[in-house]
Amino acid sequence: NTRAHEIVRATSQARAFHQIEQMLTEEERELCRRAANSKHLQHPKSASDFTYRRATAFEALLGMLSCLGREERLRTLLDLSYDSLKGE
């Protein structure tokens, strides 16, 4: 599905992360910082290193919230970030 493909692209996820970045708690910011600064990231040719690192931070944040059972927070951030994804 083309729509799903657009949402999982690093550029889309980096844009979604930008949309919610200022709303994150200190704990969430720290997780995102660690994920983005991972030494083992290799970005695809379709995205810059900066974009790929921000997309990785977004994915790590969603994964953490899901694993910790923080569904309400996850839904809130997804709803806020969805605006940046639906316009493509």
Side-chain angles (χ1 to χ4, degrees):
N1 170 321
T2 303
R3 182 70 190 122
H5 178 56
E6 287 298 317
I7 290 173
V8 299
R9 290 180 55 208
T11 52
S12 297
Q13 291 180 356
R15 195 167 32 261
F17 181 72
H18 178 73
Q19 190 83 6
I20 62 170
E21 190 172 11
Q22 297 303 315
M23 300 163 204
L24 301 181
T25 66
E26 282 304 313
E27 176 189 25
E28 292 165 347
R29 287 178 196 269
E30 177 60 19
L31 172 91
C32 290
R33 184 193 65 75
R34 288 192 340 259
N37 290 332
S38 174
K39 303 283 187 226
H40 303 291
L41 292 180
Q42 293 183 0
H43 64 88
K45 293 179 183 179
S46 62
S48 69
D49 182 59
F50 177 77
T51 297
Y52 192 69
R53 288 180 180 279
R54 292 178 64 81
T56 298
F58 183 69
E59 290 179 342
L61 175 62
L62 300 182
M64 177 194 77
L65 293 172
S66 179
C67 287
L68 294 176
R70 296 183 184 168
E71 286 85 14
E72 186 174 331
R73 180 66 172 159
L74 177 60
R75 173 57 53 201
T76 298
L77 293 177
L78 283 173
D79 287 346
L80 291 168
S81 65
Y82 181 73
D83 289 340
S84 67
L85 297 176
K86 69 180 178 184
E88 295 188 2

